[in-house]
């Protein structure tokens, strides 16, 4: 006997976050493996992640949410400049951050975030 579930019944089960199942990387690598007419109780990957990555259309009468910023991919030149400056200076003042950001073609926020992450990596090593 083949059981057919209504499409609405699929959404009644809570979904585990991708990172919790241990299969997150496998699912991401599989790409379209969750699409189609599978009998899986989980949403296709695009639908599962849509609320986290795509802000969608703004709600009428509500404030529009800003979408999550995509991950910055630094060029080799930018990384070399950041690393070289980090060797000399572990903390940047605001004017130094502005100068470094302009010289490397980055925003101040990108430089600030990179420095925060780099300091955490440095503290783990030391």
């Amino acid at each position: 006997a083949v059981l057919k579930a209504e499409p609405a019944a699929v959404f009644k089960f809570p979904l585990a976050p991708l990172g919790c199942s241990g299969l997150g990387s496998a699912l991401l690598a599989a790409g379209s493996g969750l699409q189609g007419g599978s009998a899986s109780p989980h949403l296709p990957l695009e639908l599962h992640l849509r609320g986290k990555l795509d802000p969608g259309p703004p709600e009428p009468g509500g404030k529009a949410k800003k979408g999550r910023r995509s991950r910055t991919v630094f060029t080799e030149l930018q990384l070399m400049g950041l690393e070289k400056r980090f060797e000399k200076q572990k903390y940047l003042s605001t004017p130094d951050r502005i100068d470094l950001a302009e010289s490397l073609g980055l925003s101040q926020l990108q430089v600030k975030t990179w420095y925060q992450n780099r300091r955490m990596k440095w503290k783990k090593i030391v």
Side-chain angles (χ1 to χ4, degrees):
V2 176
L3 298 176
K4 290 189 177 181
E6 295 180 38
V10 173
F11 297 105
K12 291 180 182 177
F13 299 104
L15 297 175
L18 287 176
C20 293
S21 67
L23 298 174
S25 58
L27 292 175
L28 288 173
S32 62
L34 294 175
Q35 295 176 1
S38 68
S40 171
H42 296 287
L43 292 172
L45 189 57
E46 297 86 5
L47 293 177
H48 184 73
L49 297 176
R50 182 177 294 157
K52 295 176 185 161
L53 302 176
D54 184 13
E59 298 280 333
K63 291 183 179 179
K65 290 184 179 179
K66 288 188 179 181
R68 183 174 176 171
R69 184 180 179 100
S70 61
R71 185 179 188 275
T72 302
V73 179
F74 297 102
T75 65
E76 284 186 41
L77 185 64
Q78 289 170 334
L79 285 173
M80 283 178 18
L82 288 164
E83 288 286 354
K84 191 173 183 178
R85 186 65 173 265
F86 185 79
E87 286 177 22
K88 298 176 191 173
Q89 219 176 344
K90 303 294 187 237
Y91 291 86
L92 290 177
S93 64
T94 304
D96 288 341
R97 186 175 67 229
I98 292 169
D99 291 342
L100 184 59
E102 287 178 0
S103 69
L104 296 175
L106 298 169
S107 71
Q108 290 183 51
L109 182 62
Q110 288 171 317
V111 172
K112 179 181 174 182
T113 305
W114 186 90
Y115 255 77
Q116 287 174 339
N117 292 335
R118 186 62 180 86
R119 279 193 301 267
M120 290 300 109
K121 181 179 177 182
W122 172 66
K123 286 178 182 178
K124 285 180 184 177
I125 292 170
V126 172

